[in-house]
Amino acid sequence: MLIIGLTGGIGSGKSTVAAMLGDRGAAVIDVDALGRVVIAPGGRAEAAVIAEFGDGIADADGHIDRAALARAAFGRPDALARLTAISHPAINAEMADRLDELPDDSIVVLDMAILVESNLGRSDPAHSYTRVIVVEAPEELRVERAVQRGMAEADVRARISSQATDEQRREVADAVIANVGDLDQLVTRVDQLWSTIVSWGGT
């Protein structure tokens, strides 16, 4: 099994590239979505997060109110670290379960925003990515894309400043794909990238 970590900053088009790789035969695991799964009702981390942060983050049914949790954790480094210490091992465990369900010859893409900034996807050798792909685009283009999706510009820029830099991502990258130009150009670049990925699978 070839496991690849795919990352890129907000507005880079990371998820678009992930979907294109899925169309070409990769099994795509949305790691960011797993972060929501583990705190959903009955999720691996739900009880521990409520125990850590108290009933103030719970809704009327006793489940996590994600907006309340965000207010309690984000923008507060100590609280965010406590949340990460609970949620990230749960995400890795969830990811391992998904990987174990796949055929041994699969090419797997772990679509994750915070590859550089976290230990996600690196929990143990049997379930860790061995290659990294970074999707890039100029900052102003990324801001424009995110604003078009409905985010406030100030929020987009704050998110960018809190994420890893392009330089930090490139340091760990085995391949970099530039998401500039039109969709046809991106398709061509992804086709070239897929050829590279297939060659990795044979090494």
Side-chain angles (χ1 to χ4, degrees), residues 31-123:
V31 179
D32 302 330
L34 294 185
R36 296 185 289 276
V37 168
V38 299
I39 63 169
R44 290 178 188 267
E46 183 193 24
V49 169
I50 292 174
E52 178 67 33
F53 288 90
D55 292 337
I57 64 158
D59 61 22
D61 296 321
H63 298 301
I64 292 173
D65 179 326
R66 286 174 48 203
L69 177 61
R71 288 191 296 272
F74 294 104
R76 301 179 181 182
D78 176 64
L80 184 58
R82 285 157 47 212
L83 176 59
T84 297
I86 297 169
S87 63
H88 282 202
I91 294 169
N92 277 328
E94 197 78 29
M95 198 185 312
D97 283 352
R98 307 289 172 101
L99 289 167
D100 287 341
E101 293 169 356
L102 295 171
D104 290 342
D105 61 351
S106 297
I107 295 174
V108 186
V109 172
L110 305 178
D111 176 4
M112 64 178 110
I114 55 171
L115 180 147
V116 174
E117 304 92 324
S118 76
N119 198 42
L120 292 174
R122 294 186 286 182
S123 57

Side-chain angles (χ1 to χ4, degrees), residues 1-7 21 26-27 29 107-112 115 128-133 174 194 197-198 200:
M1 182 179 291
L2 173 62
I3 305 175
I4 299 165
L6 175 71
T7 193
L21 293 173
I29 297 176
I107 295 174
V108 186
V109 172
L110 305 178
D111 176 4
M112 64 178 110
L115 180 147
S128 296
Y129 57 81
T130 56
R131 300 280 187 166
V132 174
I133 297 168
D174 294 287
W194 184 247
I197 289 170
V198 170
W200 289 343

